Amino acid sequence: MSTHYNTLLEKVHELNDLQKAIALLHWDREAIMPKAGMAERVQQMTTLTRLAHRMGTSDEFGALIERAAEEVADSDDESTEKRLVAEVKWQYEQARKLSPELVKRRAEVTGKASGAWQEARAKADFALFEPYLEQTIDIARESAEQYGYDQQPYDALLNLFERGMTTDTVRKTFAAVSDATVPLLQAIVSDGKQIDDSVLHQAFAVESQKAVARTIATAVGYDFERGYLGTVVHPFATSFSRNDCRITSRWYPDFLNPGLFGTLHESGHAIYEQGTDAAFSRTPLARGTSSGIHESQSRLFENLIGRSYGFWQANYSALQAAFPAQLGSVTCDQFYLAINKVQPSFIRVEADELTYNLHIILRFELEIALLNGDLQAHDVPTAWNDKMQQLLGITPPSDAQGCLQDMHWSAAMFGYFPTYALGNLYAVQLYDAALAQLPALKSELEYGEIGGLFSWLHENVHRHGKKYTPDELVTRATGQSLTHEPFVAYVTKKFSQIYGL
Ligand code: ZN
């Protein structure tokens, strides 16, 4: 490759190294750092962030991108060079669209809003957060105007996390999901026969949970030679290169699910990045293509594999061996039912596979109304509780378990929530495509043999990193754009069987 491209690549590597250093400081802050180090750590991260921002938005960098773009203009449209330059250019343009005044105000407001939100949630007092929510909504609105959009402001925010996705498509897709899942949920609830999941709520020694979580993460293909499992308050996965993709989890001494399924979830995210093409190393292509596709991989490993009967047929004995007193007399069938219990609940991150999307649909509708001015910050608690009643048939006892539960709005992060539900839909769409393309897969999965599925995901999703847009990726892999139908068919079949409907 010619000169300008290589010069650009050097700069891209440097910028990547800075960003990964910031990510490492963040991981360390969450997983290891003594609390006393906080003030200096914030300064260290701010300094590196400023350096990275300066480098990534400089006129010189822009000129270099233009020269490299001219050089690769005649390359194949799907060449890595052309895709990389296009991605770097997109990120550069996005970063330069926001005015310095807005960037500064965003940092100040979200800093204060985060503290106010934490206090408001602790005291279950929405009024403490309301004035800050007004400001973060303003920031989201102004950001949307500065980024620009074709149809409506929300498109601009959605596009940051799910390139090319439109509000209209999400709205139609979500309508179809709620039309199918709400009646299914009502049938389960009104049936009155609830699953007993008390076997999951026993004393489970944390060290044993960690050990068994490692075993299960290894069983689904997470590579500990290129990974690490840490303990944090709010779990996440992060990678510094494809050879160092870390997962984190949290452990409840009296409840098995958060540690076990949380580890599987983060393993899915990390497996995605461990699988990216080595040629993308130190570039923005060595990542997942979007938040929604990333979430599809975490949900696929957590739910489609991790909550399947076949997987536990193969792995339940390892879990029993770790907890003989708790699970020794519990059958695999009982365990399978317990981990698939469906029940309307208040907290999104604790929601089951069926009701989870309803929590997202609620937030999506409120965000659009807030952005369009159809809903005021002051009226969020009422709107939240009304929607909750409508979709899940329950009303939170306080705003701490309602509109104050998530951090996103305090961070002015509007447009992100939909990607959680899109991830659930993409997950089943990809899973079904693998089943259709691999005749032996169905029976392999019934025995918990996931090697074939793993290879298919590597070939069709993981290795491509961020080279293709989400829509390109999913169309290449499944033959069509996003569709809700596989998800609806999957949950209908699975939970009709489990609940005998
Ligand atoms: Zn996730």
Side-chain angles (χ1 to χ4, degrees), residues 249-269:
S249 200
R250 61 179 158 192
W251 318 98
Y252 289 32
D254 54 359
F255 186 26
L256 193 60
N257 287 13
L260 184 57
F261 292 99
T263 302
L264 277 173
H265 181 98
E266 302 308 337
S267 294
H269 282 304

Side-chain angles (χ1 to χ4, degrees), residues 265-266 269 291 294-295 298-299 302 416 420:
H265 181 98
E266 302 308 337
H269 282 304
S291 302
H294 231 303
E295 195 68 3
S298 58
R299 298 301 252 174
E302 175 190 359
Y416 189 89
Y420 290 119

Side-chain angles (χ1 to χ4, degrees), residues 440-481:
L441 186 58
K442 187 168 181 289
S443 61
E444 287 168 16
L445 292 172
E446 280 167 9
Y447 294 98
E449 170 51 60
I450 66 156
L453 177 61
F454 192 99
S455 301
W456 188 91
L457 290 169
H458 177 78
E459 181 65 23
N460 289 281
V461 181
H462 304 165
R463 71 186 176 94
H464 298 304
K466 206 174 168 58
K467 183 173 173 179
Y468 299 114
T469 66
D471 186 53
E472 283 175 335
L473 185 89
V474 85
T475 304
R476 284 171 61 101
T478 72
Q480 60 178 326
S481 294

Side-chain angles (χ1 to χ4, degrees), residues 93-109:
E93 288 171 352
Q94 291 300 111
R96 294 203 14 146
K97 276 182 181 171
L98 295 187
S99 69
E101 185 278 326
L102 184 58
V103 172
K104 187 161 173 278
R105 182 151 48 93
R106 183 191 173 104
E108 286 166 3
V109 167

Side-chain angles (χ1 to χ4, degrees), residues 173-174 177 265 291-304 307 348 351-360 417-431 482-488 490-491:
T173 307
F174 282 4
V177 170
H265 181 98
S291 302
I293 300 291
H294 231 303
E295 195 68 3
S296 79
Q297 297 310 290
S298 58
R299 298 301 252 174
L300 199 152
F301 283 89
E302 175 190 359
N303 289 333
L304 285 129
R307 283 187 165 85
R348 172 183 64 86
D352 57 72
E353 210 177 348
L354 179 65
T355 58
Y356 188 95
N357 291 331
L358 302 175
H359 291 257
I360 299 306
F417 279 123
T419 69
Y420 290 119
L422 294 177
N424 289 328
L425 307 187
Y426 284 135
V428 189
Q429 188 175 342
L430 290 165
Y431 184 88
L482 170 73
T483 159
H484 64 278
E485 284 166 12
F487 176 84
V488 167
Y490 161 76
V491 290

